[in-house]
Amino acid sequence: MAVKFKDYYEILGVKRDATEDQIRQAFRKLARKHHPDLNPGDKSAEERFKEINEANEVLSDSEKRKRYDQLGANWQNGAEFTPPPGWGRVNVDYEDLSSVFGGGGFSDFFESLFGGGRSAGQADARRRSSRRRANGQDAEAEMEISLEDAHRGGRHRITLQSVRVCPTCNGSGTAGGNVCPTCRGAGQVVSPKNIDVNIPPGAREGSVIKLSKQGQSGQNGGEPGDLFIKLKIKPHQRFTVSGDDITTEVPITASEAVLGSSIEVPTIDSKAEMKIPAGSQGGQRLRLKGQGLNKRGGGRGDQYIRLKIVVPTHPTEREKQLYKELDETSQFKPRSG
Ligand SMILES: [Zn+2]
C-alpha cells in the first residue's frame, strides 16, 4: 500500500542530527502554537497538531528514530512511499495516542513503519512496558552559611526548587487532548522542597555534603538520585579565613603600642584577653594559638591579630597639648637615618 512519506525532521523544523533536547524544545513550541484548544474549529491546525505529535513520537524515541533514519534522507515530505522490501513489522513500544486524538491518531505512513491495528489489550500492554523504571539523577545545590556555622557545625534547613516530570501528563504536556492543567504544557513541575542538612564542625568553603537519595526522583519505581550540597561561606565582617586560621584587625592607641597593654579581642567563639608587647608596630601580627577554626577530625587552627594604630581625629585641647609636649620632648625620629 502506497502512503505519503512524512519528513518528521521537516515537520518539527529540526536538523537530522538534532539532539533530544532540540527535538523536545521544537515539539513543545509547535505543540503549544497549534494546540486545538488555541485554534478552535481550525481543521488544519488540528491536522498540524497530529502531525507534530507523530513526528515527536518517532524522533523523541531513540529506537523509532533509528528505524525511521534507516529510510534515508532522500525522501521528500508528501512523496508516495512504500516500505522497502523485507521491511517487516517490528514490535516497537509507543504510547497509544488514540485516547488523545479520539482514534486514528497516527498517519498511514506511521502505521506502515511501526505497525498498527492493535487491540486495546495490546495497546495497554505496550503502554505498560514502555513505562520503564528509571533511577533519578543526582542533583547539586549550593548553600551559604556563616563562618560561625562552618566552625561549629549544626543543622540547617534549605529550600530547593525541585524540578520533576509532570505526574499528570508524564512529561508530554498534554492530558486528554488539552494542555495539561498541572504543568500548563511545560511537561515538568517545579515545587519547593525543604531539606535539613547536617553540617559537620570544621566545614570549609567548597566542602561538599552528600545527601543520599535526596536528588531527583526516579520514575516508575526507580531509586532517587543523590543530592550534593556545596558550601559557600559568607564573608565575615571581622574575620578573614586562610585555611584553618583566621585573622582579625584590632585598633590600638599609640600609647598602648609604645607602653604595651592587655586588651580584649574578639574570637570566633567569644573573646579573649591578649597582651600587646611594649613597642608593637602598626600592621604587626600577633598569634592567639588554637583560637582558629575547628578542623575536621579534631584540633584547631590559630587566630592572628593584626594591630592597627589609630589616633583621635578630634582631640581635646588637653590631648593636643600633651601631644605637642610629647613631640617637643621625644627623641623618636622615625624618618632619620
Ligand atoms: Zn503535565
Side-chain angles (χ1 to χ4, degrees):
M1 182 187 70
V3 295
K4 301 276 187 214
F5 185 83
K6 285 187 182 292
D7 186 336
Y8 291 138
Y9 293 98
E10 194 179 302
I11 289 166
L12 289 186
V14 295
K15 295 206 177 103
R16 293 188 74 86
D17 60 358
T19 63
E20 282 178 32
D21 271 342
Q22 288 168 334
I23 288 167
R24 188 161 49 237
Q25 277 166 21
F27 164 66
R28 287 203 181 132
K29 205 170 150 196
L30 289 170
R32 273 196 282 272
K33 186 173 166 195
H34 297 283
H35 199 280
D37 283 0
L38 301 173
N39 306 275
D42 184 349
K43 267 287 179 208
S44 70
E46 193 179 305
E47 278 309 307
R48 186 91 175 90
F49 187 61
K50 276 191 188 181
E51 208 168 48
I52 294 160
N53 272 288
E54 183 175 307
N56 179 60
E57 177 70 31
V58 174
L59 297 188
S60 67
D61 180 295
S62 60
E63 272 181 75
K64 283 206 282 294
R65 184 178 180 184
K66 204 164 130 193
R67 188 161 168 82
Y68 176 76
D69 283 346
Q70 282 168 9
L71 297 172
N74 296 325
W75 288 92
Q76 295 292 310
N77 199 26
E80 293 283 316
F81 171 78
T82 311
W87 179 259
R89 285 184 175 179
V90 288
N91 279 329
V92 182
D93 288 333
Y94 58 91
E95 298 282 340
D96 183 6
L97 293 186
S98 61
S99 59
V100 176
F101 297 112
F106 292 112
S107 68
D108 292 340
F109 171 71
F110 180 96
E111 303 278 356
S112 76
L113 289 183
F114 300 109
R118 291 154 293 122
S119 71
Q122 282 174 324
D124 281 346
R126 282 185 179 170
R127 204 161 32 212
R128 271 198 300 278
S129 67
S130 73
R131 291 212 176 126
R132 287 188 197 91
R133 196 179 131 97
N135 289 343
Q137 295 195 330
D138 292 341
E140 284 172 30
E142 222 175 49
M143 182 176 186
E144 211 180 35
I145 58 173
S146 68
L147 183 61
E148 284 86 349
D149 290 338
H151 171 61
R152 284 178 214 135
R155 180 180 278 252
H156 290 263
R157 170 162 290 195
I158 54 166
T159 304
L160 299 177
Q161 296 304 318
S162 116
V163 179
R164 56 204 171 93
V165 173
C166 174
T168 307
C169 65
N170 236 327
S172 69
T174 57
N178 295 317
V179 172
C180 171
T182 309
C183 66
R184 298 179 192 280
Q188 43 185 222
V189 289
V190 179
S191 52
K193 184 180 178 186
N194 289 324
I195 296 172
D196 287 324
V197 184
N198 275 319
I199 295 167
R204 291 289 183 270
E205 172 83 22
S207 293
V208 175
I209 294 172
K210 177 183 170 181
L211 297 178
S212 292
K213 301 189 180 176
Q214 296 279 4
Q216 294 182 16
S217 39
Q219 284 183 304
N220 309 315
E223 295 270 304
D226 298 327
L227 172 62
F228 293 89
I229 295 183
K230 193 171 178 185
L231 297 180
K232 266 186 81 73
I233 296 176
K234 289 181 207 160
H236 197 282
Q237 54 177 11
R238 274 209 176 110
F239 303 111
T240 55
V241 179
S242 171
D244 302 322
D245 301 332
I246 53 175
T247 298
T248 187
E249 190 174 66
V250 173
I252 56 172
T253 66
S255 41
E256 282 171 332
V258 174
L259 306 173
S261 173
S262 185
I263 62 167
E264 195 174 74
V265 296
T267 63
I268 189 86
D269 299 309
S270 63
K271 49 199 169 189
E273 224 22 55
M274 177 155 212
K275 203 173 147 8
I276 309 289
S280 290
Q281 300 294 330
Q284 192 173 331
R285 286 205 321 165
L286 304 173
R287 187 165 72 145
L288 272 178
K289 203 168 158 39
Q291 293 288 321
L293 299 176
N294 283 324
K295 298 180 188 177
R296 292 299 308 274
R300 286 185 70 164
D302 300 325
Q303 178 174 353
Y304 289 92
I305 308 292
R306 193 185 305 114
L307 298 179
K308 184 185 183 187
I309 295 172
V310 292
V311 296
T313 45
H314 302 289
T316 63
E317 283 307 314
R318 176 76 179 131
E319 279 168 340
K320 278 192 204 170
Q321 197 191 333
L322 289 170
Y323 273 103
K324 208 169 174 184
E325 265 176 52
L326 176 64
D327 194 44
E328 286 160 3
T329 321
S330 176
Q331 302 293 305
F332 182 48
K333 307 279 182 232
R335 292 178 302 283
S336 68

